[in-house]
Amino acid sequence: MKKLVKNNVYWVGKVDWELQKFHGNEYSTHEGSTYNSYLVQEEKNVLIDTVWSPFADEFVENLAKEIDLQKIDIVIANHGEVDHSGALPALMKHIPDKPIYCTANAVRSLKGQYHQDWNFKVVKTGDKIDIGNGKELIFLEMTMLHWPDSMATYLTKDNILFSNDAFGQHLATEKLFNDQVDQCSLYNESIKYYANILTPFSPILKKKIEEVVALNLPIEMIATSHGVIWRDDPSQIIQRYAQWSNDYQEDQITVIYDTMWNGTKKLAEKISEGIALEDPGSVVKMFNLTKYDENDLITEVFRSKAVVIGSPTISKSILHSVAGFIHLMKELRFKGKKAAAFGCYGWSGESVKEINALLAGAGFEVVSEGYKNQWNPDLDAQKAAIEYGRTLARSFAKQAVEGKDR
Ligand code: FEO
């Protein structure tokens, strides 16, 4: 059933309460998600985005209860990714000649995915469509936020920015608006979304925010394609994005490890203890990689000024869980964060050196040669690990002061 957004604008999307993984298995969605599609009914009827393909038939069936599909004049595809375009094939069977407004890159992605020669109308930033009753839709390319084809659409007079993925959150809710949901969940899902999806594009995002602000468009609502619509002070999420895109960090140090026989775990505990003793003002957190959700852990890294990564040596290398996690951090191109390594070993002891190399390759500033210990850490080794934690805390504190000057 459609839900009223404002005046003649309705939500006609899908709430996916059961979604636990997104992008295949790359992104955990503990709180489900929504695929937001919007119907704008002025003199022209406009459909903005659709839903993920498993819900395509249900979407078209529901939409047909709200509007005679033949009366849809315009379809807008803000983004070609399947969670928003997935119902286009089912919909376009009913209205094959209706125009689909999208970017040139979206034509490439939609044709590549669905192999259909629909009636594409390519738009660029600043292009407009008159939809009657004195209202216009204005297009704004959002290249690389987060795909080359992404764009946003602005509805004049109602002052709604249909931002697609930007400013979204994976949060299933029957409520439509940001002031109607739990604020803690909303913040956590918003920062997780940014950390795990948008971090690599922070430099582009910074410029885009400046560009949008310079357009001076009044924005009363930001209608995203996932989660809630920002109607209560929508500038709050723009300000958050401005902060997050600026090499974001909090006064947090995060120790992340995996272990075979608990020796590296013991080091993690002692190093964490040393950091906390030396720097009681910082938040210190410790996680076993195999017991914690990787995407939530990426959010912890996003919030950190420094990370300390541990693995025992195995086959002259490191545990694949640790290698995989450092690879994930590398993909996300974090900037301005320091790092260090530790690990136990029995025979050859290469893990620390290898972690250091991977961290440096992932863009972290490695502050020390690392701490390694042969066999199970005895009391002396545990004291040395505490001292190592203290040394790291001093290096990381130095960075925090420098960070303030940036
Ligand atoms: Fe929500 Fe990039 O798709």
Side-chain angles (χ1 to χ4, degrees):
M1 199 169 72
K2 72 181 180 185
K3 296 177 192 170
L4 179 64
V5 175
K6 181 180 181 183
N7 296 332
N8 296 322
V9 180
Y10 300 90
W11 177 94
V12 288
K14 169 70 187 176
V15 180
D16 189 352
W17 289 98
E18 296 185 2
L19 188 77
Q20 290 295 296
K21 290 283 184 179
F22 186 76
H23 280 161
N25 281 313
E26 276 294 288
Y27 188 116
S28 60
T29 49
H30 310 309
E31 301 220 37
S33 193
T34 71
Y35 316 106
N36 298 338
S37 170
Y38 299 98
L39 184 62
V40 184
Q41 296 188 276
E42 298 296 345
E43 287 173 36
K44 287 188 178 162
N45 293 306
V46 182
L47 183 75
I48 301 177
D49 294 323
T50 67
V51 301
W52 187 26
S53 39
F55 305 106
D57 291 341
E58 173 186 340
F59 169 77
V60 173
E61 205 174 294
N62 288 340
L63 188 62
K65 288 178 195 155
E66 307 298 345
I67 183 172
D68 175 353
L69 297 179
Q70 301 309 316
K71 291 191 174 161
I72 294 174
D73 300 294
I74 291 165
V75 177
I76 291 174
N78 275 328
H79 178 29
E81 197 164 8
V82 71
D83 50 326
H84 309 296
S85 67
L88 278 178
L91 175 69
M92 299 312 286
K93 275 186 194 158
H94 298 272
I95 50 172
D97 300 323
K98 295 297 168 92
I100 300 178
Y101 286 75
C102 61
T103 63
N105 277 331
V107 176
R108 291 169 63 194
S109 95
L110 292 170
K111 282 190 175 178
Q113 292 176 96
Y114 305 116
H115 312 288
Q116 299 291 320
D117 209 9
W118 291 318
N119 179 16
F120 294 110
K121 303 285 185 194
V122 172
V123 293
K124 302 185 297 299
T125 294
D127 288 350
K128 298 174 182 179
I129 320 178
D130 185 343
I131 58 169
N133 298 329
K135 295 184 185 179
E136 288 181 320
L137 291 171
I138 304 174
F139 301 106
L140 179 63
E141 288 165 279
M142 302 282 276
T143 313
M144 293 316 296
L145 297 174
H146 68 120
W147 268 19
D149 68 352
S150 299
M151 73 170 186
T153 301
Y154 178 78
L155 173 61
T156 63
K157 290 211 165 167
D158 289 325
N159 302 333
I160 302 174
L161 181 69
F162 298 94
S163 62
N164 197 262
D165 283 329
F167 311 118
Q169 341 82 41
H170 287 303
L171 182 63
T173 169
E174 285 298 336
K175 304 292 184 191
L176 269 190
F177 300 106
N178 65 316
D179 50 290
Q180 296 175 310
V181 296
D182 177 80
Q183 296 302 293
C184 190
S185 292
L186 177 58
Y187 181 79
N188 286 340
E189 291 304 328
S190 297
I191 193 170
K192 179 178 177 178
Y193 193 91
Y194 190 99
N196 282 272
I197 292 183
L198 292 168
T199 300
F201 312 114
S202 287
I204 300 169
L205 187 68
K206 255 157 85 171
K207 284 192 190 136
K208 185 53 70 175
I209 288 174
E210 286 162 14
E211 190 187 320
V212 172
V213 170
L215 289 173
N216 228 3
L217 297 169
I219 296 176
E220 286 177 35
M221 286 186 188
I222 298 176
T224 68
S225 58
H226 296 292
V228 292
I229 296 167
W230 299 90
R231 75 169 173 191
D232 176 35
D233 184 17
S235 69
Q236 65 178 284
I237 191 64
I238 298 176
Q239 284 162 11
R240 287 288 186 198
Y241 268 47
Q243 269 185 322
W244 293 339
S245 62
N246 198 23
D247 300 346
Y248 184 73
Q249 55 182 248
E250 297 172 15
D251 196 0
Q252 176 173 328
I253 299 161
T254 306
V255 178
I256 298 166
Y257 72 97
D258 195 1
T259 194
M260 289 167 69
W261 301 110
N262 287 334
T264 300
K265 176 182 177 179
K266 208 170 278 175
L267 293 185
E269 288 170 345
K270 295 301 166 187
I271 290 168
S272 300
E273 194 179 324
I275 295 170
L277 284 170
E278 185 69 24
D279 184 5
S282 288
V283 173
V284 182
K285 294 188 183 179
M286 188 187 95
F287 300 97
N288 179 324
L289 256 178
T290 61
K291 297 182 192 295
Y292 201 76
D293 179 89
E294 279 191 339
N295 301 109
D296 292 336
L297 206 38
I298 284 293
T299 312
E300 298 292 351
V301 172
F302 181 69
R303 298 174 111 143
S304 299
K305 62 185 179 186
V307 293
V308 190
I309 307 286
S311 170
T313 296
I314 180 168
S315 303
K316 296 189 173 181
S317 185
I318 59 176
L319 293 173
H320 74 273
S321 55
V322 178
F325 189 73
I326 298 175
H327 179 79
L328 186 53
M329 293 198 296
K330 182 180 182 179
E331 278 178 28
L332 293 169
R333 290 176 242 158
F334 292 111
K335 298 231 166 38
K337 297 188 192 294
K338 288 195 174 181
F342 64 97
C344 277
Y345 66 101
W347 304 105
S348 53
E350 289 89 349
S351 71
V352 167
K353 198 172 168 192
E354 181 155 345
I355 294 169
N356 280 344
L358 291 174
L359 285 170
F364 289 80
E365 184 189 342
V366 179
V367 300
S368 88
E369 287 183 0
Y371 181 79
K372 63 181 189 177
N373 177 74
Q374 194 167 20
W375 304 115
N376 195 26
D378 61 11
L379 281 180
D380 284 343
Q382 290 178 38
K383 279 184 197 161
I386 291 173
E387 269 319 298
Y388 180 63
R390 284 183 177 275
T391 308
L392 287 181
R394 288 193 290 275
S395 304
F396 298 154
K398 188 164 165 267
Q399 183 218 16
V401 172
E402 285 165 0
K404 279 176 194 156
D405 294 334
R406 259 204 319 270

